[in-house]
Amino acid sequence: MPLTRITVLISGNGTNLQAIIDAINEGKIQQAQIVQVISNRLNAYGRRRAIDAGIPTAYHNLKTFGEQHPDLGEKTLRESYDKALADLVLTDQPNLIVCAGFMHILSPAFLDPLAKSGVPVLNLHPALPNCFPGIDAIGRAYQAFKDGSITKTGVMVHYVIAEIDAVSNLLAGWFLYVLISIDSKGEPLVIKELDIDSGEELAQLEERIHHLEWQAIIEGVQLAIQNFQNAR
């Protein structure tokens, strides 16, 4: 059976990317290869991890893209950036996109071309379903625990499609980014819960969440691969 071709989108240190690389090498993720790693930050250490693993990398940054297209207004610029990102992704003919710490909210300008090409987009989010969407999810969960509102948090891996579910305009007031975090059955692929310990510091919770993310991303990618292979 042909290998599932994966493109990974990153922004930072790349520990989740490394978890995927190691899992493929160790056979925990089967019938897969990473064909490209794309970062929106030039000095993201995840790019070095990819290079060390012999994986091609690309750099696609919104600010740099804007400097190359000074005639575009802000809304048009972001849409054009996302469309260009979709074009870059599709050049390698991937079967699956994995957002592994990718700090950019994807708009329909990116998601629609991928959907038309039959390429699912998978995302890892450090919170439970319907809890703490958007940025600083761990910090907000920790504060909610301190306030007595919750006793646990967690992580989830989910498909991303452009449909009305939860609307967020965290980055810019002019545009509504619309995401829905469900698979074809209406449930996230992977959910992992974590009790928050009384007296633990935010840094300790962050460390435990990161370890849980590495487990979840491996399980989520393998499930997505199985879904793709079964649909062939």
Side-chain angles (χ1 to χ4, degrees):
M1 185 174 291
L3 296 179
T4 300
R5 298 169 60 83
I6 301 173
T7 292
V8 182
L9 307 183
I10 65 166
S11 294
N13 191 39
T15 56
N16 293 311
L17 167 65
Q18 190 66 58
I20 298 170
I21 293 172
D22 292 344
I24 291 174
N25 291 338
E26 295 166 6
K28 296 177 182 177
I29 294 177
Q30 299 179 354
Q31 298 177 327
Q33 67 174 135
I34 300 175
V35 296
Q36 184 173 209
V37 171
I38 301 173
S39 173
N40 62 350
R41 295 181 180 174
L42 183 62
N43 296 320
Y45 188 70
R47 294 185 69 199
R48 171 49 55 188
R49 295 179 187 272
I51 292 169
D52 289 345
I55 301 168
T57 68
Y59 170 61
H60 188 64
N61 176 264
L62 179 59
K63 181 180 179 181
T64 303
F65 187 84
E67 292 170 350
Q68 296 169 348
H69 302 83
D71 55 319
L72 297 178
E74 186 176 9
K75 181 178 185 296
T76 304
L77 171 64
R78 287 182 176 268
E79 292 174 342
S80 298
Y81 170 85
D82 276 16
K83 175 60 169 61
L85 177 60
D87 291 342
L88 176 61
V89 164
L90 290 172
T91 56
D92 285 306
Q93 298 181 315
N95 307 120
L96 175 67
I97 310 303
V98 179
C99 299
F102 187 55
M103 302 303 292
H104 176 78
I105 298 178
L106 298 168
S107 75
F110 173 85
L111 296 171
D112 287 348
L114 273 293
K116 290 177 181 178
S117 298
V119 182
V121 180
L122 204 63
N123 183 55
L124 171 68
H125 185 63
L128 297 175
N130 303 314
C131 298
F132 311 110
I135 62 174
D136 193 29
I138 302 175
R140 287 184 290 138
Y142 182 74
Q143 186 58 53
F145 170 76
K146 300 291 283 187
D147 294 340
S149 301
I150 63 172
T151 61
K152 62 185 177 182
T153 184
V155 304
M156 67 174 174
V157 177
H158 61 87
Y159 288 117
V160 181
I161 61 175
E163 235 178 60
I164 295 175
D165 179 61
V167 178
S168 170
N169 60 349
L170 292 171
L171 297 185
W174 53 263
F175 190 77
L176 297 181
Y177 291 99
V178 185
L179 302 177
I180 185 169
S181 56
I182 58 173
D183 66 8
S184 58
K185 295 181 179 179
E187 297 292 337
L189 271 176
V190 176
I191 302 171
K192 288 189 174 293
E193 296 185 351
L194 183 71
D195 290 328
I196 304 176
D197 295 335
S198 178
E200 80 175 318
E201 299 295 329
L202 175 58
Q204 294 173 304
L205 177 61
E206 288 175 335
E207 182 66 20
R208 293 203 295 138
I209 287 288
H210 292 327
H211 281 276
L212 202 61
E213 286 179 327
W214 303 335
Q215 299 173 33
I217 196 68
I218 292 171
E219 293 179 21
V221 169
Q222 184 59 52
L223 283 171
I225 290 170
Q226 291 172 1
N227 289 345
F228 170 73
Q229 297 283 7
N230 291 339
R232 276 186 162 177

